[in-house]
Amino acid sequence: METFPNNWGRWGEDDQLGAVNLITAEARARGAAEARTGRTVSLARVTPIAPLTGGPMLTSMGAASTGVQTIMMFTGDAPMAMAEVMIVTTHHPEITHLDGLSHMVADGQVYPGIARADSSGPTGVRHGSADAFGDGILTRGVLLDLAPGGTLPDHHPVTADDLDAAAVRGGVDVRSGDALIVRAGWDRATAGDRNLPGMTSGAVRWMHDHGISLYGGDIGDARPPIPGDVPGALHRLALTRLAIPLLDGVRAEELAAVCAELGRYTFMLVVAVPRIAGTTGLPVNPIAVF
């Protein structure tokens, strides 16, 4: 941790975009150039819903057992209309979402050194909210498939060597400003008590060295933590210290299939972020365009 890179202050004392600043006009144009056929693939999970009338839907551990609760209402007005009220648990594993830079606190501060008391309060987030990306994120996406045709072993520690090997298999030269999408063949929402594979601090340093602007994957941090490594390295290091926004709960299976079919593992990635102010994260539908 003492020698690990830190992007606090790199883009100014009031910055709210973090590593997305690496998406320069050149990087954005490089991403747009990947859209050659117009074929699109969503990286978002299909999130099931449960009726709000069924109660709080909590597990025995107190966590929400479903990501979205809803109640349908018939207004009775002419013309006939239906309305819907939803409660969304943004950071639930069933929901593909973007972690804002306010999501994690380090030593009482959020990126890039704003005191927690100044960054958020009872009415929401004032600095580092997810809607800071409301203008959208567009860049070149790179898929690194860590287990082509299969799954990573339980509790596998993903290292820089794993990422390098996947890049070689895909014939990809990762460049500054790229968004990294990782496939491991896992579904965290249905993994139950299995030990999840996850990113090591070495893999996070690899992201820094390659100028990754955004991370998304079907895996994130290992569960339980990897012995001898920083617990929760992806959130504690990539998100908190390097200010790399995270796409949690990415669905990568269809993307991997299309990449294999087309023989290329790069694409234009578009992430449209809802302009809902004051949030630590927001549901998103990332779209890969080939």
Side-chain angles (χ1 to χ4, degrees), residues 78-103:
M80 184 174 66
M82 296 289 286
E84 190 172 16
V85 174
M86 291 191 295
I87 296 177
V88 179
T89 305
T90 303
H91 297 285
H92 195 283
E94 285 185 341
I95 297 176
T96 303
H97 60 273
L98 176 76
D99 282 347
L101 300 182
S102 62
H103 182 43

Side-chain angles (χ1 to χ4, degrees), residues 23-262:
I23 305 176
T24 61
E26 179 185 0
R28 192 172 293 110
R30 185 172 70 243
E34 292 287 335
R36 306 169 196 168
T37 67
R39 185 171 180 177
T40 61
V41 178
S42 170
L43 277 61
R45 296 176 56 87
V46 177
T47 303
I49 62 174
L52 184 61
T53 52
M57 306 295 288
L58 298 181
T59 68
S60 60
M61 299 297 290
S65 61
T66 184
V68 178
Q69 293 177 277
T70 184
I71 184 167
M72 297 294 296
M73 299 181 296
F74 168 52
T75 66
D77 295 331
M80 184 174 66
M82 296 289 286
E84 190 172 16
V85 174
M86 291 191 295
I87 296 177
V88 179
T89 305
T90 303
H91 297 285
H92 195 283
E94 285 185 341
I95 297 176
T96 303
H97 60 273
L98 176 76
D99 282 347
L101 300 182
S102 62
H103 182 43
M104 298 291 288
V105 179
D107 298 325
Q109 297 177 313
V110 301
Y111 170 86
I114 308 296
R116 184 192 57 77
D118 295 328
S119 70
S120 62
T123 59
V125 175
R126 295 186 290 271
H127 182 92
S129 173
D131 75 292
F133 305 104
D135 285 334
I137 300 172
L138 189 157
T139 191
R140 187 178 77 149
V142 172
L143 174 68
L144 297 188
D145 193 342
L146 302 181
T151 62
L152 280 184
D154 289 31
H155 212 224
H156 177 85
V158 177
T159 66
D161 288 343
D162 289 323
L163 299 177
D164 279 332
V168 170
R169 281 196 301 271
V172 174
D173 179 21
V174 181
R175 300 174 64 181
S176 178
D178 286 347
L180 174 64
I181 305 298
V182 166
R183 179 200 168 273
W186 277 74
D187 183 347
R188 187 162 62 98
T190 61
D193 294 331
R194 292 176 64 188
N195 291 347
L196 294 175
M199 295 291 147
T200 63
S201 57
V204 174
R205 184 183 288 271
W206 183 98
M207 296 179 208
H208 174 75
D209 292 343
H210 287 77
I212 296 300
S213 61
L214 177 73
Y215 171 89
D218 59 6
I219 58 170
D221 287 315
R223 185 189 71 200
I226 296 166
D229 196 31
V230 177
L234 190 64
H235 282 78
R236 291 185 61 190
L237 299 179
L239 180 64
T240 306
R241 293 175 68 96
L242 300 180
I244 300 175
L246 307 180
L247 290 172
D248 269 347
V250 160
R251 182 190 66 166
E253 294 304 311
E254 184 180 356
L255 177 67
V258 171
C259 285
E261 174 192 339
L262 298 179

